[in-house]
Amino acid sequence: MKISFLGAAGEVTGSQHLIETDSRRILLDCGLFQGHRQESYLKNSWFAYPPDSIDAVFLSHGHMDHCGNLPRLFSKGFRGPIFCTSATADIAEIMLKDSARIQAEDAKYLARKLKEKHPPIEPLYSEEDVDGVAKLFERLDYHEWHELGDDVKLRFLDAGHILGSAIIEMKIKDQREWRHLVFTGDLGRRNLPLLRDPETIEGCEVLISESTYGNRVHEKVSDIKEELYQILDEAYRVEGRVIIPAFSLGRTQQIIYYLNELYNEKRLPHIPIFVDSPLSTRLVSVFRHHLHEMDDEVQAMMEADKDPFGFALLDYVSTREQSIALNKRKGAFVVIAGSGMCENGRVRHHLKNGIDNIENTIVLMGYQAANTLGRRLQQRDPKVKIFDRYYKVKAKVVQLSGLSGHADVEDFKWWYAQSAKLGNIGQVFLVHGEPESAEALAALIRDECDLEPIIPHYQQSFEV
């Protein structure tokens, strides 16, 4: 059996791994490379294999760095099944439609900026390609083994990373011999709001494991709700607005859930809260549809509150006109809008209109990449550029951490130790991590594995 690492090898983007046997070619994930525009476009445009030669895709979850290049694969000839959980299928279709729309808008914008003789920049795929991909989704339940012919068996376990995320467990026959493989996808954390804890495995011969935070311990989740309460209480007293840039998938739903808990506890200040993101609103509908897949706390809440994503003080903004009207609103209110790093979306308009008021608060909820507006706010730059104009940062900037959906050192320790107790772990390949994170995780798990962990390079292949 041959495994080729065609993305998320030595980096944290573009998850894509190819498994080849004497009779099958199976792709684990087909994610977008994200980074510098030209480099990413070249990587995303090209496949290391004929797309129509792939028998099936096993999809771990609906983040764009794991599913985002499926429509390109479809446009180049792939027509096989895409196996995933039901929630992942629902999320991926929404995320891919949004990606196709953004690509089309970017292509039009660049066409106006490029010199006459420059070749046009084409979108990677269209909304029609997304429609084609959506028809290929095969929805599978967690925990059940599914026989895909006489040489492949597939089972999903809950990865606890985002709604619908899966650890992919495979039994594949190669040259008359059954092999047991596991792909973690993105492994989640314990005790995150909404999500069930990641499940462990019972050993395997080959494990492809993420390593994003193999060298880091996250802050505790438990303090976030109390910190949000303090911020909203102060805003209510000084009649300031609270601007929360948040990723549409996962982070926005977690924030709403915490605010809903505060409302149910009668601790939420009487302050209007607006979710100003059409993408977030569509994704909330998916979360509402899959409430039965969430953790025990959600199930307990629903005995008294049937909707963890709706309460009297919360409104979902749909139209552009409603969004613009918020910037003219007086008094205290909260607006949650994309994107999480403040690089695009409606949040930039809210920042432009609220950043120079000392009564306002900007709440950053997660990692802010270098050279983003979010990073400049995080490092307290006195002036920041929004829409080609500089604004003084007079608003208070608060960083809340602890909601990362990726396993950290403590989670990896627990997961590998528990899995190794139930069965031997053979050859481990560490992907989806920067080199220093992968190397740290290799040292951490060495005693739990039969063989020395391997950190593959981009496009490197191994016979196993």
Side-chain angles (χ1 to χ4, degrees), residues 340-407:
M341 296 185 192
C342 312
E343 280 298 285
N344 45 51
R346 293 182 177 181
V347 76
R348 292 180 299 168
H349 295 277
H350 296 299
L351 289 170
K352 181 188 76 170
N353 286 279
I355 201 167
D356 62 353
N357 188 331
I358 60 172
E359 308 294 354
N360 295 342
T361 304
I362 300 164
V363 182
L364 302 175
M365 296 295 299
Y367 175 73
Q368 306 296 320
N371 303 314
T372 63
L373 175 56
R375 172 65 71 85
R376 288 186 281 275
L377 290 170
Q378 183 185 57
Q379 64 196 21
R380 308 298 195 273
D381 284 9
K383 290 183 180 180
V384 294
K385 193 175 185 180
I386 308 173
F387 297 124
D388 299 322
R389 180 182 162 189
Y390 282 94
Y391 293 84
K392 290 183 179 179
V393 182
K394 295 181 181 178
K396 182 190 297 184
V397 179
V398 178
Q399 174 75 53
L400 299 187
S401 302
L403 286 179
S404 172
H406 284 276

Side-chain angles (χ1 to χ4, degrees), residues 115-251:
K115 296 178 181 178
E116 286 186 17
K117 294 183 180 180
H118 194 288
I121 302 295
E122 297 293 337
L124 288 167
Y125 48 80
S126 66
E127 289 198 34
E128 289 73 22
D129 295 321
V130 176
D131 292 335
V133 165
K135 293 175 183 176
L136 301 180
F137 286 133
E138 295 280 348
R139 299 161 183 257
L140 303 182
D141 293 332
Y142 287 112
H143 304 131
E144 297 178 21
W145 279 105
H146 303 271
E147 294 193 9
L148 313 179
D150 59 2
D151 59 344
V152 180
K153 298 176 183 179
L154 171 65
R155 179 169 73 164
F156 291 142
L157 302 175
D158 200 326
H161 173 63
I162 62 167
L163 179 67
S165 60
I167 296 167
I168 300 173
E169 189 172 9
M170 301 156 275
K171 293 181 179 178
I172 302 176
K173 188 186 287 187
D174 183 41
Q175 298 179 355
R176 300 182 180 179
E177 181 182 355
W178 283 98
R179 310 297 303 277
H180 186 190
L181 291 80
V182 171
F183 172 46
T184 65
D186 283 354
L187 197 64
R189 300 169 62 194
R190 294 164 290 171
N191 303 315
L192 280 180
L194 303 177
L195 302 174
R196 296 183 295 218
D197 288 353
E199 296 182 289
T200 54
I201 61 172
E202 298 177 357
C204 60
E205 292 175 77
V206 178
L207 173 62
I208 302 171
S209 170
E210 76 122 311
S211 59
T212 314
Y213 291 122
N215 61 347
R216 175 173 166 179
V217 177
H218 295 312
E219 294 183 34
K220 292 182 180 178
V221 176
S222 57
D223 299 332
I224 298 289
K225 185 171 80 172
E226 189 61 31
E227 289 173 315
L228 280 171
Y229 164 72
Q230 296 292 345
I231 291 166
L232 267 61
D233 186 56
E234 181 181 354
Y236 178 74
R237 285 188 285 104
V238 302
E239 297 191 352
R241 66 182 67 173
V242 178
I243 303 167
I244 307 179
F247 295 110
S248 298
L249 174 56
R251 196 59 48 81

Side-chain angles (χ1 to χ4, degrees), residues 413-456:
K413 275 184 187 176
W414 166 81
W415 191 85
Y416 274 89
Q418 293 300 312
S419 297
K421 283 180 183 178
L422 300 173
N424 290 348
I425 297 176
Q427 182 63 70
V428 176
F429 294 96
L430 296 177
V431 297
H432 205 284
E434 300 294 338
E436 57 272 19
S437 297
E439 288 163 9
L441 183 57
L444 182 75
I445 65 173
R446 192 167 283 129
D447 292 342
E448 311 293 354
C449 310
D450 293 344
L451 300 169
E452 181 71 17
I454 293 173
I455 304 171

Side-chain angles (χ1 to χ4, degrees), residues 248-261:
S248 298
L249 174 56
R251 196 59 48 81
T252 292
Q253 290 79 24
Q254 290 171 330
I255 296 166
I256 295 168
Y257 177 73
Y258 277 141
L259 295 174
N260 191 44
E261 280 194 320

Side-chain angles (χ1 to χ4, degrees), residues 308-325:
F309 304 105
F311 52 96
L313 292 172
L314 178 67
D315 278 313
Y316 290 89
V317 174
S318 54
T319 69
R320 182 171 173 270
E321 289 72 24
Q322 290 172 321
S323 177
I324 293 170

